[in-house]
Structure formats: C-alpha cells, structure tokens
Amino acid sequence: MRYFLAIAALFLASSAFAQSNPTWSTPVHQLTYGDEEGQLTSLKIDQGYRFADLKRESNDLRFFYNKDAQSIHNARIVDKKTNETLARGKGSFFFGTAKFEFEDGETIKLKRKRNANGYEIIGPYGVLFAVENQGISYAKTYGEKDFLLQAFYVFDRVKETQSPSDDTYQVYTTSYYSSSTSQK
C-alpha cells in the first residue's frame, strides 16, 4: 500500500510540473514606484528600450511607440491580457495639438514647456511630468489616466536618454520571418 501511495504521489507531482505553461522572459531594467498609500508599481523597461511593461494591481500594460518612431502620434498604451489599445497619442507638440485619446472617449490634451535644463509636460490639472536639471522630478497625479501618462513619459525619458547596452544588438534582414535579437 505504501508503494502505491508513493507511486501515486510521484505521478501527481510529475504531472503538476508537466502541466505548467512554458514562459519566455527578456532581460529588463526595473523601476519601482511607491505611492502615498504605500502601493508599489513596477515598470519594467526592455534593455533595447523598445517597450515598457507596467504592473499595477490587476493591470498589466505595455507602453511603446508604433514602429519604434518616437513621436507622440505613434505612442500606444496596450492591455497585455486582452491586446486592446487603451490609449493612443495624437497630434504634435510643435503645433500644440498633442493629446492622448483613451478607449472610453476621454481625451487629455498636453503641452510641452521647455527650459534650459529640462521640460514639463502639462496636462489638464497642471504639471504631469517634469524634468529639472536633466533628471525626473516629482509631479502629482490626480487620477489613473494621469498616472498612466506619467509612467509613459518616464519610459519616454529613459528611452530618450539611454542607448541599448553592448550586450544586446538587433539584427534585421529583408526576410519576413528572420528578424531576431542576438546576444554577444
């Protein structure tokens, strides 16, 4: 009887490991944000600076620029679980028409105010994101969408100021299926 129970336990343990889904993971830079209420938010930025993943409570979002073209009209915020676009950038800071349109129809207009050692992104309630003396400075957010845009601009600032490490380089070919990332 003991042998039967031992074999059954071994069988159950091995089937439990066999049923787990395989997952791939990429090396990332991790930024942690703690709000006033003590909740932690994790922003993981790809080492090639092509996308960032935001994990907050039950939300799992991805920030990126469509076709990796760094301008506001190519900005996207996507829900990773449903693959739906939650927000997309529109317009241009140059013409004063920059805005983010959310899936629920809400539009947040943005302005960029530059100074000698940084800039401010100004939303409907005031400063949404600020760079002072070349570093990111504190800016208060008033809602979930403000926080999402602030996190997007943190990713944008990191992408703007950093370059991919020498450990990772990307190889592009003209073949449709053979685009890959190689490690040195």
Side-chain angles (χ1 to χ4, degrees), residues 139-158:
K140 184 169 177 58
T141 58
Y142 292 96
E144 182 70 21
K145 292 177 181 169
D146 286 348
F147 177 75
L148 291 178
L149 294 181
Q150 187 180 69
F152 184 86
Y153 280 104
V154 169
F155 162 63
D156 179 64
R157 181 65 181 173
V158 170

Side-chain angles (χ1 to χ4, degrees), residues 46 61 75 84 87 89 117 151 175:
D46 169 51
L61 307 174
E84 292 182 18
N117 289 315
S175 175

Side-chain angles (χ1 to χ4, degrees), residues 19-183:
Q19 297 299 323
S20 64
N21 292 332
T23 57
W24 290 95
S25 64
T26 58
V28 293
H29 302 290
Q30 184 167 342
L31 302 172
T32 304
Y33 173 76
D35 63 7
E36 294 88 12
E37 298 167 357
Q39 294 180 335
L40 294 177
T41 302
S42 175
L43 182 66
K44 296 179 180 178
I45 301 174
D46 169 51
Q47 286 186 350
Y49 303 105
R50 297 195 48 128
F51 65 88
D53 291 333
L54 178 73
K55 182 82 170 156
R56 182 176 191 188
E57 298 168 358
S58 65
N59 295 336
D60 198 5
L61 307 174
R62 176 161 285 172
F63 304 128
F64 66 97
Y65 285 101
N66 191 33
K67 300 180 184 174
D68 203 32
Q70 196 169 350
S71 66
I72 186 144
H73 65 273
N74 288 320
R76 303 286 189 269
I77 301 174
V78 175
D79 186 347
K80 286 177 55 178
K81 294 176 187 171
T82 62
N83 210 20
E84 292 182 18
T85 302
L86 298 179
R88 69 178 35 207
K90 298 275 186 172
S92 165
F93 284 113
F94 182 76
F95 294 111
T97 59
K99 59 188 171 187
F100 265 88
E101 291 181 352
F102 285 85
E103 68 174 2
D104 63 0
E106 184 176 352
T107 300
I108 297 180
K109 295 182 180 181
L110 304 170
K111 291 188 332 184
R112 182 186 310 222
K113 182 180 173 185
R114 295 185 181 271
N115 61 38
N117 289 315
Y119 59 90
E120 295 176 338
I121 303 293
I122 301 169
Y125 305 114
V127 176
L128 183 66
F129 178 77
V131 173
E132 292 178 354
N133 300 322
Q134 306 301 336
I136 297 172
S137 69
Y138 176 78
K140 184 169 177 58
T141 58
Y142 292 96
E144 182 70 21
K145 292 177 181 169
D146 286 348
F147 177 75
L148 291 178
L149 294 181
Q150 187 180 69
F152 184 86
Y153 280 104
V154 169
F155 162 63
D156 179 64
R157 181 65 181 173
V158 170
K159 181 175 178 66
E160 183 179 299
T161 59
Q162 303 295 314
S163 61
S165 68
D166 291 337
D167 295 341
T168 304
Y169 62 92
Q170 297 173 352
V171 178
Y172 296 99
T173 66
T174 57
S175 175
Y176 181 74
Y177 290 106
S178 59
S179 175
S180 65
T181 301
S182 302
Q183 295 287 333

